[in-house]
Amino acid sequence: MSRYLDMVDGPEHVKKLTVPQLQDLAGEIRTELIEGLAKGGGHLGPNLGVVELTIALHRVFDTPKDKFVWDVSHQVYVHKLLTGRKNRFRTIRQTGGLNGFALRTESEHDSFGAGHAGTALSAALGMAAARDKRGSDENVVCIFGDAALTNGISFEALNNLKPSTKKFIGILNDNEWSIAKNVGAISEYLNKLITNPSYNKLARDFEGFVRRYLPKGDFALKLAHKAEEGVKSAITGVTLKQTGSLEADGRGGQGSPVLFEEMGLRYLGPIDGHNLPLLISTLEFAKQCDHPIVIHVLTQKGKGFEAALKQPEKFHGLGPYNAQTGETAPAKPGTPPMYQDVMGQTMVRLCEQNGNIVGLTAAMPSGTGMKHLEKARPDRYIDVGIAEEHGVIFAAGMATMGFRPVVAIYSSFLQRAYDCIHHDVCLQDLPVIFCMDRAGLSANDGPTHHGLFDIAYLRCLPNVIAMAPANEDELVDMMFTAAQTNHPTFIRYPRGTAEGVALKPIPLIMEIGKAMVTQKFADTGRTKVALFGLGPMHAIALKAAAQLEKEGYDVAVINPRFTKPIDAAVHEEFARVAALVVTLEDHTIMGGYGSSVLETLSEQRVTTPVIRIGWPDQFVEHATTQDELRAKYGLSVEGTVTKVKAHFAKAAQPVAA
Ligand SMILES: Cc1ncc(C[n+]2csc(CCOP(=O)(O)OP(=O)(O)O)c2C)c(N)n1
């Protein structure tokens, strides 16, 4: 039997199906998500949670004229399936395939790209304001999660809503989870909102609207009443805890019980986000409202897949899994540990030795490895929510009181806290330690998640010490070293498995700014090439050296370890005797480590040519594996060897007359 999904090539086809047919479509989409992602992985749980919501959105609104703005946009897979991309769906997050997030260049139905949390409300508000100014009539619908509300930017947008527009539709997709369990007062507040009996009053309020606006008000009304039951059943599914009532306005006064209303948004909800007819009628209603409105929708992360329901954190985003059981393959014996786990386990060791160490994550306990600390030393572990700026300034505050906070944030997410690094940490020269995971590529996530800019954005800031370990043992050394510096200290390391070297029982405290010479010149009289391989590129430099030696070169390999301060003496020493210097970094070439080598050598009047190997001055696309992208852009053994040989081949050519 053919599927309704096969008939849907665009949102116009969603509009042709009856509600029961759409309910069947929801089931088909769930199957497609579960089966389609099994091979390559992806954000399964969040997408299973928004199936009915996305269908209802496309049933009621008309993209691309109407604009959907999704926060983070990791939950747009269903939207992709319904907007002409279903035939390419199984290529998602793979080389040449669909991107895992909303991407303006991928489809006219993706009105705003994202990957970082907390941007949707601002972007949508900007669109609504632009629409009002130009006098057009498209609807702007912003879909944001409960964890997006832990982010400051979301509140900046809400604060600015009233003066910005009269028409705006927000959908709060509340599933109680961030990647891990959502944290903080806002999440407790949302819980109170759900469990508070005053929602009945709100539902009655909705009733009045429905009577006034909808021709088939009776039908919608029945649904609204069902909503109340629906909410309760949804609540049982979502296992909400009763967190107290909201008799007043949540601030101790006797005004509106709902914060959103104070911000200028009419609040509707909570409603069951898996009840398709209810969602459709509520969105129809929202469409006709001539004032900003927010609909509080309760959904279940992982809905329809037992394994995902049981383990929402694991199924937020994962690699390949068994489509029947949800099982994932265990790591092959002998696989090196993940850098993130080495970092988390080292935190536990550091805390044992130093009573002032605390670990901080911005909603990423598993991704950063801080979960190890959470488990072993909950008293030393802090999750601030998706709040990178706050987290960095919070750490700065703790540092003024004698603590040594270790802030573990992915390189690309830390970009958001740049001013906090500058103004609150570096300017006051506070000893905050930053562990920057995903420094380098996050291949299948793509450009929103690649961490390719941190060396450049940090090396211009005074007081910074910045390092990059070549392997997991050096990561441990660097963390112990960082705990002894009295300055802002940054450690960048890549996503995924480490090199597989043994960890020394007692970590080495490194001399700040000192490189390590791994392989000296053999002084055989052959052409000398000095390879400076930073971080994970050190291993590539070593392999390239072996090949170049076979080709007749005399090759030295240096592990720079520090990008600030760089070891000027070692760079000068090797550059003076080499015929060619090659710098290798898992970072954009523009302003990165290689640039600092060029500056240093120029200052020392060393004129040896320098080839910089790194990522080009463009946003690098997503791909199935990091190795594919490294090969494509020449950050590989072959790429290095080819560039070196090409350099000398060109040098040997006679100069044209
Ligand atoms: C600035 C930033 N920090 C952290 C992340 C990592 N991250 C991706 S999704 C997510 C949780 C989102 O939760 P929510 O908005 O409630 O959506 P849900 O997945 O629950 O549907 C986090 C922390 C990010 N994308 N951007």
Side-chain angles (χ1 to χ4, degrees):
M1 214 183 82
S2 67
R3 306 177 301 171
Y4 291 112
L5 184 56
D6 299 320
M7 301 173 205
V8 175
D9 290 322
E12 64 280 12
H13 300 137
V14 177
K15 293 174 179 58
K16 292 205 170 109
L17 298 177
T18 63
V19 170
Q21 287 170 334
L22 290 175
Q23 280 162 332
D24 288 348
L25 175 68
E28 293 166 6
I29 287 176
R30 284 212 164 83
T31 306
E32 179 61 18
L33 289 172
I34 295 164
E35 290 176 1
L37 298 176
K39 208 167 140 228
H43 289 105
L44 179 61
N47 281 285
L48 286 172
V50 296
V51 174
E52 287 82 6
L53 176 60
T54 313
I55 293 176
L57 281 165
H58 279 293
R59 169 63 176 245
V60 173
F61 296 97
D62 290 306
T63 61
K65 184 186 177 228
D66 291 334
K67 311 292 174 201
F68 293 168
V69 185
W70 305 84
D71 201 78
V72 187
S73 81
H74 60 306
Q75 74 292 56
V76 292
Y77 296 9
V78 187
H79 166 74
K80 292 196 185 212
L81 283 169
L82 298 179
T83 50
R85 287 170 272 182
K86 66 167 190 279
N87 294 337
R88 295 179 64 212
F89 181 65
R90 293 188 182 209
T91 67
I92 198 161
R93 291 163 62 87
Q94 294 163 30
T95 309
L98 294 180
N99 190 275
F101 299 94
L103 196 63
R104 281 170 59 79
T105 49
E106 191 179 282
S107 167
E108 57 180 352
H109 296 277
D110 292 1
S111 63
F112 202 76
H116 292 200
T119 63
L121 279 159
S122 296
L125 201 52
M127 288 178 188
R131 173 204 56 206
D132 297 349
K133 283 209 188 311
R134 74 181 187 195
S136 50
D137 64 353
E138 53 274 58
N139 293 289
V140 179
V141 185
C142 175
I143 306 102
F144 56 100
D146 50 305
L149 275 184
T150 63
N151 190 273
I153 314 177
S154 299
F155 278 90
E156 292 169 30
L158 289 175
N159 186 48
N160 181 230
L161 197 135
K162 258 190 209 170
S164 296
T165 185
K166 296 268 175 292
K167 194 164 163 54
F168 183 85
I169 300 167
I171 314 272
L172 165 57
N173 171 30
D174 186 354
N175 55 28
E176 287 206 314
W177 287 81
S178 180
I179 291 180
K181 194 80 181 152
N182 204 3
V183 295
I186 291 294
S187 124
E188 283 172 21
Y189 173 77
L190 293 177
N191 246 341
K192 283 184 187 169
L193 214 50
I194 296 165
T195 52
N196 188 295
S198 70
Y199 81 82
N200 289 333
K201 180 173 98 33
L202 297 165
R204 275 199 296 279
D205 210 15
F206 175 40
E207 238 178 75
F209 279 117
V210 173
R211 275 191 204 286
R212 282 217 318 274
Y213 286 104
L214 285 182
K216 290 184 192 154
D218 282 351
F219 170 66
L221 263 185
K222 272 190 206 129
L223 289 173
H225 285 301
K226 273 194 138 181
E228 294 173 25
E229 296 154 31
V231 166
K232 282 169 191 142
S233 62
I235 286 171
T236 41
V238 181
T239 60
L240 290 166
K241 52 184 184 301
Q242 187 82 32
T243 48
S245 68
L246 272 175
E247 253 109 58
D249 60 1
R251 300 167 308 153
Q254 294 297 320
S256 156
V258 183
L259 183 73
F260 296 108
E261 304 244 335
E262 302 288 305
M263 302 288 211
L265 283 153
R266 194 89 180 98
Y267 172 87
L268 249 194
I271 68 165
D272 176 359
H274 301 298
N275 182 332
L276 197 49
L278 173 62
L279 283 168
I280 292 171
S281 64
T282 310
L283 290 173
E284 288 286 4
F285 162 72
K287 196 162 118 176
Q288 304 192 22
C289 282
D290 54 5
H291 46 70
I293 185 165
V294 63
I295 306 170
H296 187 175
V297 174
L298 301 183
T299 60
Q300 273 183 302
K301 233 169 164 164
K303 171 99 176 159
F305 192 40
E306 198 54 30
L309 278 172
K310 280 196 182 134
Q311 304 165 82
E313 186 165 358
K314 175 176 173 181
F315 280 84
H316 172 87
L318 79 172
Y321 57 89
N322 180 310
Q324 267 71 49
T325 63
E327 278 164 20
T328 45
K332 289 198 189 97
T335 307
M338 308 272 277
Y339 271 110
Q340 65 204 50
D341 290 323
V342 175
M343 180 332 264
Q345 285 151 1
T346 306
M347 279 305 296
V348 179
R349 285 173 71 187
L350 266 175
C351 282
E352 277 160 15
Q353 292 199 359
N354 184 333
N356 293 325
I357 298 274
V358 288
L360 187 146
T361 176
M364 307 290 288
S366 41
T368 60
M370 275 292 182
K371 65 174 185 193
H372 296 285
L373 186 67
E374 180 185 20
K375 195 159 167 240
R377 295 300 303 262
D379 55 321
R380 303 282 197 93
Y381 164 84
I382 300 155
D383 180 355
V384 294
I386 312 177
E388 287 79 8
E389 299 111 302
H390 160 66
V392 170
I393 307 173
F394 179 99
M398 289 197 85
T400 65
M401 305 290 281
F403 279 86
R404 283 291 168 114
V406 179
V407 177
I409 296 181
Y410 291 2
S411 165
S412 75
F413 300 155
L414 192 60
Q415 288 160 193
R416 174 164 292 180
Y418 189 56
D419 183 58
C420 318
I421 291 171
H422 161 272
H423 172 268
D424 303 284
V425 179
C426 294
L427 189 55
Q428 308 190 83
D429 201 8
L430 292 170
V432 178
I433 300 163
F434 292 85
C435 283
M436 300 183 291
D437 201 314
R438 271 65 165 175
L441 291 187
S442 190
N444 42 28
D445 287 316
T448 53
H449 285 56
H450 297 329
L452 300 181
F453 307 104
D454 55 90
I455 298 176
Y457 73 63
L458 291 172
R459 80 182 187 88
C460 54
L461 292 179
N463 297 329
V464 161
I465 297 172
M467 334 183 200
N471 56 50
E472 59 270 45
D473 188 42
E474 277 197 354
L475 171 59
V476 178
D477 292 346
M478 286 179 179
M479 288 178 67
F480 274 81
T481 302
Q484 304 212 353
T485 69
N486 283 315
H487 305 283
T489 304
F490 298 78
I491 309 171
R492 77 184 312 263
Y493 46 93
R495 177 180 174 176
T497 48
E499 299 292 325
V501 305
L503 303 186
K504 293 185 294 296
I506 300 176
L508 173 87
I509 303 302
M510 293 176 166
E511 187 182 332
I512 300 299
K514 194 89 198 101
M516 189 184 78
V517 179
T518 319
Q519 177 180 315
K520 292 187 169 165
F521 289 125
D523 288 329
T524 48
R526 292 167 158 188
T527 305
K528 285 189 163 78
V529 179
L531 301 181
F532 291 83
L534 182 72
M537 300 304 283
H538 181 253
I540 290 179
L542 275 174
K543 286 184 192 147
Q547 278 204 29
L548 286 167
E549 280 160 4
K550 282 191 205 137
E551 306 263 356
Y553 295 93
D554 182 0
V555 188
V557 180
I558 297 101
N559 170 4
R561 285 184 169 166
F562 289 82
T563 53
K564 184 166 187 184
I566 78 164
D567 190 334
V570 163
H571 285 83
E572 185 184 347
E573 179 192 333
F574 280 82
R576 280 214 186 276
V577 293
L580 177 66
V581 166
V582 183
T583 61
L584 299 98
E585 61 193 303
D586 195 6
H587 183 274
T588 186
I589 287 182
M590 187 74 82
Y593 159 67
S595 296
S596 70
V597 171
L598 274 176
E599 288 167 19
T600 305
L601 296 182
S602 166
E603 277 157 17
Q604 306 303 323
R605 307 280 188 276
V606 180
T607 54
T608 311
V610 178
I611 292 179
R612 289 172 298 155
I613 292 178
W615 297 99
D617 183 23
Q618 70 183 67
F619 287 107
V620 176
E621 70 273 26
H622 71 279
T624 312
T625 64
Q626 152 166 284
D627 286 348
E628 280 172 65
L629 286 170
R630 281 195 181 163
K632 176 173 173 188
Y633 288 96
L635 283 84
S636 59
V637 176
E638 289 67 32
T640 307
V641 172
T642 308
K643 280 197 182 116
V644 170
K645 282 165 63 180
H647 169 83
F648 288 110
K650 197 172 172 196
Q653 273 170 21
V655 179

